[in-house]
Amino acid sequence: MTVLDDIIEGVREDLAERRRRRPLEDVRAAALAAPAPLDAFEALGAGRAGSMAVIAEVKRSSPSKGALADIADPAALAASYERGGAAVISVLTEERRFGGSLADLDAVRAAVGLPVLRKDFTVDEYQIWEARAHGADVVLLIVAALTDEEIASFLALTHRLGMHAIVETHTEEEVRRAVAAGAPIIGVNVRNLKTLEIDRDVFGRLAHLIPSGTVVIAESGVRDADDVADYAAGGAHAVLVGEALVRHSDPATTIGAFGQAGRTSPEPGVPTHG
């Protein structure tokens, strides 16, 4: 069993318990009653206009590093990210390996005026409705965890709800599957899901397979501004950063530095909206 398999097994168990407590019909009603979602594609457009967009993550721990930070007030951290110029706030809601929760998502949503990503392992449409009910504007779809039919169905649902999805890839085959599904936002995660090791060169090998007009996100492996500059040179419009921010005493300043480090020439002919 891979690390991803193990995580998803726990996600399904926790999901079953939440479904028992709150039926899908109730979650759908709450989602449809929630304020309209914010446009993450537009927010990430800064990366296509010449400077790097930063998706700043509220992240307490990870399977690879264990405990990262004691985040007593996720809302305050998210507010500092917003002051620093983050384009999107990512909130981990997986509990067993990442120490997150839907309560964190609620707190962050109430504190910031930016699009918010519910960062979790989406395996069922319930989680997408649930994300919208809690105010999320974006969800994560991991290609390695889903069939082509599920990717298409989940993308259609997010768009029907006015949301977006970051479709995460790790290999050439997964990039091709994401492109075939018509994903407007594709992430390339340079962390190997089987070994949890980082290989930053993976981004350069995969990013060129993603068509113009797609928002391209570099995920994992950002230690400093040099890494951001390297990802920008390889075609990234945005970086998703967690550890480098939650462990820094001044995350707002760090976000500004990352944005400047990723400044590039605007990509020609890219539409401003998908």
Side-chain angles (χ1 to χ4, degrees):
M1 177 180 285
T2 67
V3 174
L4 178 62
D5 292 335
D6 184 54
I7 292 173
I8 288 178
E9 184 177 289
V11 165
R12 290 188 183 280
E13 290 175 2
D14 293 342
L15 173 59
E17 174 60 23
R18 294 200 307 279
R19 292 189 77 135
R20 186 189 65 77
R21 297 197 309 264
R22 192 180 190 191
L24 177 59
E25 293 74 17
D26 292 352
V27 176
R28 281 177 172 162
L32 295 174
L38 302 176
D39 192 337
F41 190 96
E42 182 178 357
L44 294 169
R48 294 173 295 116
S51 64
M52 182 67 74
V54 177
I55 304 173
E57 194 153 83
V58 177
K59 182 178 185 179
R60 290 189 173 88
S61 62
S62 73
S64 61
K65 295 290 184 67
L68 298 174
D70 181 15
I71 303 173
D73 190 344
L77 178 60
S80 72
Y81 289 165
E82 184 173 31
R83 290 194 300 272
V88 173
I89 308 296
S90 171
V91 183
L92 264 301
T93 60
E94 196 280 334
E95 296 186 34
R96 301 189 184 202
R97 296 294 193 98
F98 293 89
S101 68
L102 287 166
D104 287 349
L105 180 61
D106 291 337
V108 170
R109 174 69 287 164
V112 301
L114 301 175
V116 174
L117 162 66
R118 185 208 180 163
K119 182 89 175 291
D120 211 315
F121 298 79
T122 306
V123 294
D124 191 284
E125 72 166 38
Y126 182 99
Q127 293 163 284
I128 299 173
W129 287 100
E130 186 178 52
R132 183 80 280 273
H134 285 266
D137 311 287
V138 195
V139 295
L140 182 71
L141 303 180
I142 300 175
V143 172
L146 302 169
T147 67
D148 290 344
E149 291 74 18
E150 287 170 331
I151 295 168
S153 174
F154 293 167
L155 272 175
L157 177 57
T158 60
H159 295 160
R160 180 152 59 94
L161 292 174
M163 305 172 73
H164 279 288
I166 296 175
V167 180
E168 179 177 295
T169 64
H170 302 80
T171 66
E172 289 190 13
E173 179 190 3
E174 290 175 11
V175 170
R176 292 190 177 96
R177 291 175 61 199
V179 171
I185 306 173
I186 296 179
V188 175
N189 194 331
V190 303
R191 186 182 299 281
N192 186 303
L193 290 178
K194 296 179 180 179
T195 66
L196 299 182
E197 294 178 353
I198 293 287
D199 180 359
R200 293 172 187 81
D201 292 338
V202 166
F203 182 82
R205 293 198 295 270
L206 301 186
H208 75 280
L209 301 173
I210 301 173
S212 175
T214 308
V215 169
V216 181
I217 302 171
E219 301 180 46
S220 299
V222 175
R223 299 162 297 187
D224 51 34
D226 288 342
D227 289 331
V228 175
D230 288 344
Y231 282 144
H237 304 123
V239 288
L240 192 153
V241 189
E243 180 182 347
L245 295 178
V246 299
R247 286 185 162 177
H248 201 284
S249 60
D250 187 359
T253 298
T254 303
I255 289 170
F258 286 176
Q260 288 299 314
R263 189 170 292 279
T264 60
S265 299
E267 182 181 346
V270 176
T272 58
H273 198 281

